Amino acid sequence: MKKMILNILATTGLALVVLSLVATLYDGTLICIETVFQVLGLNVVAYIGLHVMDLAEYRYAILETVLKLAYIILLVLAGGYVFHWYQNLPGVVLILMTIAIFVVCVGLDAISFLSEVKSINGLISGEE
């Protein structure tokens, strides 16, 4: 649970940084405080859904990744409709932002996984 909360907050921060960069490209000058809470809420729903998806067994890792990305994109597009994000940002930009954030998160998860594997290998070799 602690790791999930940390991931939600980290993803929210990453999403807000990416959103700020995109807003700067569109000559934006501010991000409304309600947008921060909308992104946080969307990340909470996303991580709950991803947790439920993790309960299933997937035969192929690439299929799991594609399904998770599709879920996140659909969720972001639905959030864009609900929160009226399309007034300020095209849907294609939302999709590209989502893919960029997803790729960074998968990369960070892989790095975290590698460090866990190294620590486990260190414990195993220390026991021998």
Side-chain angles (χ1 to χ4, degrees):
M1 185 66 153
K2 181 179 176 182
K3 184 176 180 181
M4 181 185 257
I5 292 171
L6 182 65
N7 286 343
I8 289 169
L9 294 176
T11 305
T12 300
L14 179 62
L16 291 173
V17 168
V18 170
L19 183 59
S20 298
L21 291 173
V22 170
T24 302
L25 294 175
Y26 280 90
D27 294 326
T29 56
L30 62 99
I31 293 179
C32 297
I33 192 71
E34 66 187 22
T35 305
V36 174
F37 292 110
Q38 291 167 355
V39 171
L40 176 63
L42 196 64
N43 278 312
V44 169
V45 172
Y47 271 93
I48 290 171
L50 291 174
H51 179 70
V52 170
M53 290 177 80
D54 283 339
L55 298 176
E57 291 288 328
Y58 298 96
R59 186 174 184 146
Y60 304 104
I62 190 75
L63 174 65
E64 179 182 5
T65 304
V66 168
L67 287 175
K68 287 181 178 182
L69 180 58
Y71 165 71
I72 297 295
I73 289 174
L74 290 173
L75 190 64
V76 168
L77 292 176
Y81 177 76
V82 169
F83 298 127
H84 308 289
W85 292 342
Y86 298 122
Q87 294 174 356
N88 302 318
L89 203 61
V92 174
V93 175
L94 275 176
I95 291 172
L96 293 174
M97 287 173 50
T98 302
I99 291 170
I101 293 166
F102 186 82
V103 167
V104 170
C105 288
V106 167
L108 291 174
D109 279 346
I111 291 169
S112 173
F113 182 72
L114 286 175
S115 68
E116 288 178 19
V117 167
K118 285 181 183 178
S119 68
I120 290 171
N121 285 340
L123 291 172
I124 290 172
S125 65
E127 292 179 358
E128 295 178 336

